[in-house]
Amino acid sequence: MPYRFVKPLNYEPQNADLYPLIIFLHGAGERGNDNVLQLTYIDTIFGKDWFRKKYPCFIIIPQCPLEKRWVEVDWKLPEHKQPTEISEQLQMVLEIMEKEIKENKIDTNRIYVVGLSMGGFGTWDLITRFPNKFAAAIPICGGADVTKACSIKHLPIWAFHGAKDKVVMVERSRKMIEAMQKCGAKPIYTEYKNSGHLIWNKVFANKKVWEWLFSNRIQNK
């Protein structure tokens, strides 16, 4: 699987510090094997000087093949049942993550998942399968199996969706957040009332999102 690996600004391997890691899962339009298309939107945030200086971190940006999905489900449906087995693509993402953890000074108490659209589905799928592996997650206009909501009731989540989304129904995020709340969870949910599917640049531009993300860490690991 092609992927890009971004290191913290001025990273020195001999430095004793451990750095957080972001797993970024792109959307359907960025699929391929050129190891370029998945970078389409990240310069709006991860490439910014202020971000790199304020939040030194590692970032893994994998690329899903054109004919595949992070989760092999139809994202136009009003609901779906989580496949029994993790997708081959997400399994490879986990293998890439483990490889980079072994080779770099990554803080395993501060691993975050961020995904948009198809990647939003991938984000939900990863955290519900491995609820104790990640410190926080940001699923953007995604969807999940609501029966898995209680498995992540402890996990800090900030989900986003556009109320006028015609690609992925806004109900997908609403139902997952509601299911989590019924389990006693307190996820954050932001819905853009006048927006459709393409909301991620708005999300990325909100500096409070990143302050929130990096404030989270696994406490009892």
Side-chain angles (χ1 to χ4, degrees):
M1 171 175 283
Y3 73 99
R4 296 296 183 101
F5 185 59
V6 180
K7 295 183 178 181
L9 199 62
N10 302 318
Y11 175 62
E12 297 179 2
Q14 65 272 23
N15 192 312
D17 289 342
L18 296 177
Y19 294 89
L21 168 67
I22 293 177
I23 307 293
F24 178 76
L25 301 178
H26 64 76
E30 295 79 65
R31 289 177 291 183
N33 60 5
D34 61 358
N35 208 14
V36 173
L37 271 177
Q38 81 269 34
L39 307 176
T40 300
Y41 298 106
I42 66 162
D43 270 352
T44 61
I45 181 60
F46 299 144
K48 296 292 187 183
D49 287 342
W50 73 264
F51 180 92
R52 301 206 68 200
K53 290 176 181 177
K54 188 170 184 178
Y55 302 114
C57 64
F58 293 99
I59 310 169
I60 292 174
I61 313 164
Q63 186 177 32
C64 184
L66 189 60
E67 72 282 4
K68 299 290 186 179
R69 302 181 180 196
W70 297 124
V71 188
E72 295 296 343
V73 297
D74 185 349
W75 50 69
K76 292 185 178 181
L77 295 176
E79 60 183 28
H80 75 263
K81 181 176 175 58
Q82 186 179 64
T84 304
E85 300 294 332
I86 190 171
S87 72
E88 181 183 4
Q89 311 313 313
L90 284 184
Q91 180 60 41
M92 283 191 278
V93 171
L94 289 175
E95 291 171 7
I96 290 168
M97 182 182 78
E98 294 300 331
K99 170 184 177 294
E100 297 300 348
I101 287 173
K102 289 180 181 178
E103 297 178 2
N104 296 278
K105 298 210 168 174
I106 292 171
D107 186 347
T108 56
N109 289 318
R110 292 186 292 165
I111 299 178
Y112 312 113
V113 190
V114 179
L116 58 90
S117 192
M118 183 182 78
F121 281 80
T123 298
W124 284 117
D125 195 79
L126 267 184
I127 62 177
T128 51
R129 290 183 189 276
F130 305 97
N132 299 313
K133 189 180 288 290
F134 304 102
I138 301 176
I140 304 170
C141 52
D145 182 345
V146 295
T147 67
K148 306 298 181 181
C150 292
S151 68
I152 51 172
K153 64 181 181 181
H154 65 286
L155 187 63
I157 291 170
W158 192 343
F160 294 83
H161 220 116
K164 298 182 178 179
D165 195 329
K166 297 186 184 304
V167 179
V168 179
M169 300 176 188
V170 67
E171 286 77 16
R172 297 307 309 268
S173 288
R174 290 175 181 171
K175 289 178 179 178
M176 192 60 181
I177 294 300
E178 182 181 351
M180 290 187 66
Q181 291 170 337
K182 287 180 178 179
C183 295
K186 296 181 179 179
I188 305 172
Y189 178 54
T190 298
E191 188 173 301
Y192 297 113
K193 293 182 179 180
N194 297 314
S195 296
H197 189 60
L198 306 179
I199 62 168
W200 36 89
N201 284 343
K202 288 183 180 181
V203 177
F204 295 162
N206 185 350
K207 293 186 178 182
K208 291 182 179 179
V209 170
W210 307 108
E211 291 176 12
W212 170 85
L213 183 71
F214 286 99
S215 72
N216 292 294
R217 64 182 300 125
I218 298 174
Q219 299 296 334
N220 300 313
K221 187 174 179 181

